[in-house]
Amino acid sequence: MVAYTILSGLLFGLYFSLMAIGLNLIFGVMRMVNLAHGDFIMLGAFAAFFAYTLWNMNPLVTMLVVFFLFIILGGALYYLVVPRLLRAHDPEMLSLILFFGLSQIIQALAVIAFGNNQRSIDYTALGSGTVYLFGQGFEESWVVVASVSLLAIILVSIYLYVTKLGVATRAVMSHREEAASAGISVHRVSAYAMGIGLALAAIAGVFSPFMIGSIDPTMGTDLTTTSFAIIIIGSLGNPIGTIVGGMIYGLSLMYMESYQPSWSSLVPYLLLFIILLLKPSGLLGRRMRNA
Amino acid sequence: MRNKLKAGSVLLVTLLLFAVGTHIYSNENMWFQGMVYLALAQGINILYGFTGYLPFGYVGFFGTGAYAASLYMTDFHTQPIVAILGGGATALIVGLLLSPLLRLSGAYFSIGSLAASQMIYYTVSNPALQAVTNGPYGMNLEAFYNPTASYAVMLVILALTLFTTAYLRYSRTGLALRATREDAVSAAMAGIPVVRMRIMAWLLSALIAGLVGGTFAWHISVFYPNTVFDLNVSIFAIVFTLFGGGASLLGPIIGMFVLYGLYNWIGISAPQYFQLIYGVLIVMLVLFLPNGIMSLFRKKGYDVP
Amino acid sequence: MSPDYVLSVVDVTKTFGSFTALQGMSFHVKKGEILGLVGPNGSGKTTCMNVISGSYRADRGSLHFMGKNIQRTPASKLSHMGMNRTFQIPRPFKGLTVRENLQIAATFVRREAMGLEEIASFIGLEDSLDKESGMLNSTQQKLLDLGRALATGPTLLLVDELGAGMNPHELDITIERLQRLAKQGISMIVVEHLMSFVRQLTERVIVMNAGKEIFEGTLDDAVRNEEVVRVYLGGGTP
């Protein structure tokens, strides 16, 4: 039981890291909290649902399509609203309200388009077998999703630490003004960050039917708070620090579900609340920032 | 003097409308909910409009007030009015416990307050606490049901709330709160006890939501946890305030009449279309009119109450 | 400690993480004196002001204002005790009118001070009383900061780069105004890059570098001091 709880906590931890990493990337670059984050996850989930039920498309293929679609969508969204916001008196608060409005729009459109029903995908779409890890059996889909999540996080790290655009992104994250005066196009870097952030949310959405359960158009609000909790636990503004938050969250959730199931829905909020009050920059906040 | 006259007439007209409203249009429930949302919008206004703290979890105080008042009625057999006061007091205490949230700025506060509200919700609705709160099965106050009395009590609470906002709009206290919103460091240098002032606004808004929640519970008499902890309650109150414009008496009133009117016209049968409209409205407001409709008039030189 | 010191700072140290912003600063300000605080960018002048005015808390050392220990006194309390300041980047309440800006300070701090109209004409904003302060230009906003400080009837005024961005005419007027305040017995610490401004206002300056005091005396002696000259060669001449 203990080994199973820990291992499933780690598998889900990887998935939760993927779920939250886009929110952290956008926050790190723009200092804006994308309150519509969860709604982009929801859109990814419905993409997976329709692709699978209409064309029997494998979610892994859907993931690739969705990824590129949302990069374009995110870039467009950036140029549409963010430069205007940054000129305002109080961009932080206004962006929060704006993304909240966007979240309402997406939810409303989703209800109009998809209907307000719970949907689910046949869980065997990502494999129906059982995978044994350290003597414990897990659903194959969990292991597939965890592996893909890990791969995605590694790719994000490579992007941030190896590619030219990624290095520029990190420069903007740590010293926005200096980066701009060093000739980095802050708008271009931010537009990419927004695109990649939304795309990562959407691919997390593609896998959500296998990890979170049935999907519906209003699922986004809870996912936004969960994701925010994860990046707060890990390290706000440091995408790679998200993985720490994801792991801690995954483990605590699995622990509660195994031993105190009726209280498990409290977990993200309780963690968020405690960390916010104790250390608002995240558990790894300062150390990671200095590194 | 002219200010008092203006604020007084706004107050009077609004209250009169709710007092005689049911004779004009007989849907009593609609009028009652209108009062609920107006009082909550003014509660948001006191906190957000004057101090800049936007509480997404505002509904937590509303739900707390509803549950506390109900429990005082069912378990302790108190008079409904006493129970409602108890609901307000309970929300006030919860507000006091949550006041460390005010150390957080901007987005962190908003999301922190949301987390707090969800914690209260998941605790109250937890099946493990069924013996105390009846868990997910909600409350039943049918034994106390009295729509006329509860309507009147709601009107009184609304009057007090509007009066408080009018006071803040024209007093030095309100001016000082707005100063803390503009610049906390300068406010401190101007001798304003910034932290104490913010906590005062926070507790005041918590008290209002608690009283409103208690009265709401009494009026509808049967409810579930997800009725009184519904995030849409926060969202509506916030949108009404944003639409009209904060730090004014009239802003949230206009916001409530226009948007709640719209909601009753198209929203009840097709809430998603209403949600779409106010989502678009929020985005447009942020981009083009961040201080609400009232700022249009203010720019023209009118002193809006 | 001599009773005619309005402010005395003894061995004050302030660090941010591994960065030491102030190291063992010690000085005092006499009644009615204007003390200049100069030094290259990043030498710790503004940090010093922030520690004195209660925005930061010193890690070590002691701070006394009017004979009282103010090491743990919050900014809002200090203004009641008679200390106030202006800011390098002006911080008026932008959404409020000039009148409201001044009113707030006068309401919350009940000390003997100039009247509202008097302050407004002293800072040259008597015709803009009902203007939203966010609409003022940067110089006017700085002067409004000064006006707001004056409304609290200060005994000690911290003036942070008030002259930066002013034209020569405005500078002359500002110098004359500050001298008038000093004559009324208000002590001042003036942080300033413009040396002519400092020269006309102060008898005594403290030169800072890398969080430490490297010189104390008249500005004319300072420019002949070897260390001061060396420090400034990197960041321009005084």
Side-chain angles (χ1 to χ4, degrees), chain A residues 45-272:
Chain A
F46 272 92
F49 172 78
F50 285 112
Y52 184 75
T53 45
L54 296 180
W55 307 303
N56 206 17
M57 194 190 272
N58 187 310
L60 292 172
V61 181
T62 313
M63 174 188 82
L64 293 176
V65 178
V66 157
F67 187 79
F68 289 106
L69 272 179
F70 276 77
I71 283 193
I72 296 166
L73 184 73
L77 181 65
Y78 178 83
Y79 283 110
L80 212 58
V81 297
V82 179
R84 199 186 164 88
L85 270 181
L86 290 175
R87 285 195 301 270
H89 177 48
D90 182 7
E92 189 195 333
M93 207 61 215
L94 283 182
S95 62
L96 188 78
I97 299 171
L98 181 125
F99 282 116
F100 161 69
L102 184 65
S103 156
Q104 298 299 320
I105 294 175
I106 296 173
Q107 283 186 22
L109 289 176
V111 172
I112 293 167
F114 312 142
N116 207 354
N117 308 315
Q118 304 250 328
R119 317 281 188 115
S120 50
I121 303 186
D122 174 13
Y123 75 95
T124 59
L126 276 178
S128 54
T130 302
V131 176
Y132 288 90
L133 298 170
F134 301 98
Q136 304 285 331
F138 297 95
E139 281 175 38
E140 188 180 348
S141 57
W142 292 9
V143 179
V144 172
V145 171
S147 318
V148 176
S149 303
L150 183 62
L151 184 68
I153 293 165
I154 291 172
L155 289 175
V156 172
S157 318
I158 292 175
Y159 169 72
L160 286 177
Y161 285 86
V162 178
T163 69
K164 221 171 138 190
L165 197 60
V167 173
T169 306
R170 276 171 47 232
V172 173
M173 279 195 247
S174 51
H175 298 286
R176 192 182 178 84
E177 269 73 40
E178 287 87 331
S181 57
I184 292 174
S185 163
V186 174
H187 279 316
R188 187 158 160 265
V189 161
S190 308
Y192 269 98
M194 186 88 146
I196 294 171
L198 297 194
L200 288 166
I203 62 172
V206 168
F207 298 124
S208 71
F210 306 96
M211 304 302 275
I212 301 175
S214 57
I215 61 172
D216 70 88
T218 57
M219 68 197 265
T221 309
D222 271 345
L223 295 178
T224 302
T225 25
T226 306
S227 305
F228 194 78
I230 291 166
I231 67 173
I232 279 277
I233 299 167
S235 164
L236 208 54
N238 181 332
I240 306 307
T242 313
I243 199 161
V244 177
M247 289 300 172
I248 293 178
Y249 178 67
L251 287 170
S252 4
L253 188 71
M254 284 304 148
Y255 173 84
M256 287 299 268
E257 290 209 332
S258 307
Y259 300 101
Q260 289 286 342
S262 75
W263 295 97
S264 65
S265 40
L266 257 176
V267 172
Y269 303 106
L270 195 64
L271 282 174
L272 175 57

Side-chain angles (χ1 to χ4, degrees), chain B residues 172 175-176 178-179 182-183 185-193, chain C residues 76 79-80 84 87 91 93-96 100 104 107-109 148:
Chain B
R172 298 284 166 95
L175 198 58
R178 282 164 63 205
E182 298 285 336
D183 193 316
V185 176
S186 288
M189 287 320 301
I192 300 169
Chain C
S76 61
S79 58
H80 288 273
N84 224 300
F87 298 92
R91 311 183 71 149
F93 306 123
K94 291 201 176 74
L96 309 187
E100 287 171 327
I104 287 174
T107 312
F108 276 82
V109 181
R148 207 176 46 206

Side-chain angles (χ1 to χ4, degrees), chain B residues 187-209:
Chain B
M189 287 320 301
I192 300 169
V194 177
V195 177
R196 210 190 320 148
M197 296 286 286
R198 278 178 186 156
I199 290 180
M200 187 205 78
W202 166 246
L203 293 182
L204 202 55
S205 68
L207 174 68
I208 290 169

Side-chain angles (χ1 to χ4, degrees), chain B residues 250-264:
Chain B
L250 195 56
I253 297 179
I254 299 289
M256 193 283 296
F257 276 115
V258 173
L259 293 181
Y260 189 65
L262 199 64
Y263 174 75
N264 279 285

